[in-house]
Amino acid sequence: MPSAYYQPLEPQASDDNDERWAIEDDDEQSSGRTERSSQYQHLHTRCYPQQLLATGDQLPSMGMAPRLRGAGTCRRSYCIMLLLIVVGVCFVGYFFVSPQSAGRGDDGAEDANGIYEPHNGKDSTTGHALNEPLHICSESPEDRRVYIQDKPRSAYAQLPVIYFVTPTYPRREQIPELKRLAYTLLHVPRLYWLVANDQERCDTFLDTLLSGFGIPYAHMASPMPSEFRKSKPAPRGVANRRAALQWLHQQNITNGVLYFGDDDNTYDLRLFSEIRQTQRVSMFPVGLIAEYAVSVPVVRDGKVVAFLDSWVAGRRWPVDMAGFAVSLAYMSQYPNVNMPYKPGYEEDLFLRSIGLRIDQIEPKGANCTEILVWHTQTKNKKSAVVRLNSEFLDGRSNLGALFQSLKLMGVASASDTEGPVAMISKNGKSKSHSFILS
Ligand code: UDP
Ligand code: MN
């Protein structure tokens, strides 16, 4: 989620700013003219004696060439100084005063209506090409679901496929969140689930879990590069999404729809019907985003005209990752598609890399009046450690198998020496472990 912590990107002229500067220029040319000439005169009078001293003359005289030359040089140097000051002020104002001007990369020409022309994605804001090693843990393109919602799977055969990209990472909430998400996705026909785990090695527990749902899926290991781990904020879920983009590229998938669906969000089933027919890029509101508890395109006469989001920070596309879907036929025209490791700017830079224009956006969710996805968050806690003697964690009770599974899921582990002693009670009274388990 974006936060005000992030710094804006390098500036670029925008429709708003161009207008603003144009007005200021006009002002300067009219009302500002007297001020500028009086300022010049002031400089000029201060200048003259210095020039006189330099030329050895006592008083300025219009008829004397050296004096005039000296005055002219002085005037010119003050003009240059003045020009430099004006340029400097404009520069400073442009970078620091106007928040709207910041963060606009040079990526697209603007026409008279303030509409950006698409570009080929090749610019400094798109970062390095997607070239990380792609590590597939397990995959199955087969849809083993017999019925989806109230129809046999075959009833949906003609629908475009939704490639649902889920970045995920090991923590104690990971498995419950993925399960909750899977039980939503089970109701969605023609969906390919790309689960990219932020971890070096393949998690076999996840392989089993994912294959068990019968949804077509690919499970990949895509760790965040170590240099970003320490940074605050870190680019969360970027390596994983990049891996999924690479998977799509390698499979040469140029049909269907791409959607970035984090593991902790809440999805309305109607979202999937809405985004499935995306022609280029569709957008829609996301609930529970930041200060306004919503991030939403502003729609007028069925067209996106602006954005309502509490964190602009110079982003041309101030949207959440869950707030848009992309046609893969459209995306495949942009070979430089990218999602750079730039916390807070992932959505913006991704959308810039595919040359999006505001007039091309397809608003969804009844012209962006309905919330079909919620940015729910789970309270993260460290994996628990419970003191429970390992000699009791065998087949004599359920606890051995249970703690083995909890450990595999990264939820909790039993220890002989660490953590609070596990409370085992009967009839409201604490009992010793050996009394119950031996
Ligand atoms: N994520 C990840 N690695 C991390 C942190 C997060 O892969 O180190 C994933 C996470 O599972 C989620 C997405 O990136 O799918 C966004 O992270 P999170 O939900 O924590 O961020 P927020 O929604 O608060 O912006
Ligand atoms: Mn989240």
Side-chain angles (χ1 to χ4, degrees):
M1 186 185 68
S3 89
Y5 177 91
Y6 309 124
Q7 293 303 306
L9 297 172
E10 65 269 32
Q12 179 208 318
S14 75
D15 38 352
D16 300 337
N17 289 305
D18 285 347
E19 272 167 35
R20 200 171 62 77
W21 286 111
I23 290 163
E24 284 181 8
D25 285 342
D26 285 343
D27 285 347
E28 206 166 82
Q29 275 160 20
S30 52
S31 65
R33 193 171 288 132
T34 33
E35 195 191 316
R36 206 159 48 200
S37 60
S38 67
Q39 194 181 7
Y40 179 76
Q41 270 167 12
H42 167 68
L43 291 169
H44 187 71
T45 48
R46 269 182 54 207
C47 174
Y48 237 111
Q50 283 169 5
Q51 294 299 321
L52 288 172
L53 283 173
T55 54
D57 289 327
Q58 291 177 357
L59 282 170
S61 161
M62 292 304 283
M64 295 177 73
R67 271 201 310 265
L68 280 176
R69 218 173 24 243
T73 311
C74 172
R75 224 176 277 133
R76 263 200 307 281
S77 62
Y78 273 111
C79 279
I80 290 166
M81 264 181 63
L82 198 64
L83 197 71
L84 285 174
I85 289 167
V86 170
V87 168
V89 167
C90 291
F91 189 80
V92 168
Y94 195 69
F95 271 86
F96 300 108
V97 177
S98 165
Q100 300 302 322
S101 68
R104 317 241 167 169
D106 179 19
D107 56 346
E110 191 186 338
D111 70 13
N113 302 317
I115 293 168
Y116 280 89
E117 290 300 322
H119 69 102
N120 62 6
K122 284 184 196 162
D123 66 33
S124 59
T125 60
T126 53
H128 301 295
L130 300 166
N131 55 5
E132 289 95 335
L134 187 53
H135 198 113
I136 307 292
C137 303
S138 61
E139 61 185 317
S140 164
E142 192 195 348
D143 198 335
R144 298 202 312 275
R145 296 170 293 176
V146 180
Y147 261 74
I148 299 164
Q149 297 197 29
D150 54 354
K151 293 195 187 92
R153 190 183 66 240
S154 57
Y156 303 102
Q158 303 309 315
L159 294 180
V161 175
I162 294 173
Y163 293 87
F164 191 94
V165 171
T166 300
T168 186
Y169 70 112
R171 71 233 190 248
R172 84 180 197 178
E173 299 79 14
Q174 181 179 34
I175 300 304
E177 300 211 291
L178 285 173
K179 281 198 181 196
R180 184 172 53 191
L181 175 53
Y183 285 112
T184 296
L185 299 184
L186 273 170
H187 297 288
V188 183
R190 301 278 286 166
L191 181 133
Y192 210 112
W193 196 10
L194 302 180
V195 181
N197 199 13
D198 186 352
Q199 195 180 246
E200 203 78 45
R201 299 227 232 114
C202 286
D203 181 339
T204 51
F205 189 92
L206 265 188
D207 284 332
T208 314
L209 180 83
L210 296 173
S211 73
F213 292 117
I215 302 171
Y217 81 97
H219 168 210
M220 47 200 108
S222 52
M224 184 188 297
S226 53
E227 66 260 39
F228 298 122
R229 283 238 176 261
K230 288 159 246 125
S231 55
K232 282 209 169 19
R236 302 164 77 78
V238 176
N240 341 29
R241 295 189 195 100
R242 289 170 65 90
L245 288 172
Q246 207 162 335
W247 184 92
L248 290 165
H249 180 68
Q250 282 185 6
Q251 305 275 321
N252 198 22
I253 294 171
T254 54
N255 265 309
V257 174
L258 164 67
Y259 181 74
F260 293 113
D262 288 357
D263 58 4
D264 53 345
N265 292 340
T266 304
Y267 305 93
D268 190 313
L269 290 182
R270 287 177 303 153
L271 173 74
F272 301 92
S273 338
E274 288 281 300
I275 63 172
R276 202 181 287 277
Q277 302 303 336
T278 299
Q279 298 303 300
R280 290 187 182 95
V281 175
S282 56
M283 288 193 182
F284 31 86
V286 181
L288 301 181
I289 293 288
E291 206 184 333
Y292 305 158
V294 70
S295 170
V296 58
V298 179
V299 179
R300 292 189 64 165
D301 302 325
K303 288 274 180 195
V304 172
V305 296
F307 298 89
L308 185 147
D309 184 293
S310 62
W311 191 68
V312 180
R315 294 185 300 162
R316 181 181 303 162
W317 310 115
V319 295
D320 185 72
M321 198 62 80
F324 63 90
V326 182
S327 143
L328 288 168
Y330 172 75
M331 195 177 93
S332 63
Q333 296 167 28
Y334 293 88
N336 297 298
V337 57
N338 212 320
M339 183 174 291
Y341 290 99
K342 179 108 182 154
Y345 290 89
E346 294 93 338
E347 300 88 347
D348 188 34
L349 297 179
F350 171 77
L351 290 170
R352 287 183 193 214
S353 81
I354 55 169
L356 182 63
R357 286 188 352 207
I358 197 165
D359 61 325
Q360 295 174 327
I361 301 170
E362 301 141 58
K364 300 287 183 189
N367 271 332
C368 295
T369 57
E370 291 176 358
I371 307 270
L372 300 178
V373 52
W374 301 86
H375 183 251
T376 39
Q377 289 176 299
T378 307
K379 197 168 184 174
N380 283 31
K381 282 194 169 184
K382 275 190 190 158
S383 178
V385 180
V386 181
R387 197 179 305 200
L388 197 50
N389 202 326
S390 54
E391 74 175 276
F392 298 128
L393 296 178
D394 54 18
R396 283 174 288 178
S397 82
N398 62 320
L399 296 185
L402 177 69
F403 270 89
Q404 214 175 342
S405 158
L406 289 170
K407 192 174 172 63
L408 279 174
M409 294 188 286
V411 175
S413 56
S415 164
D416 287 315
T417 52
E418 285 168 48
V421 175
M423 183 77 78
I424 297 182
S425 65
K426 189 172 183 182
N427 290 331
K429 290 211 173 84
S430 173
K431 299 287 175 195
S432 76
H433 293 177
S434 59
F435 181 75
I436 301 292
L437 300 174
S438 64

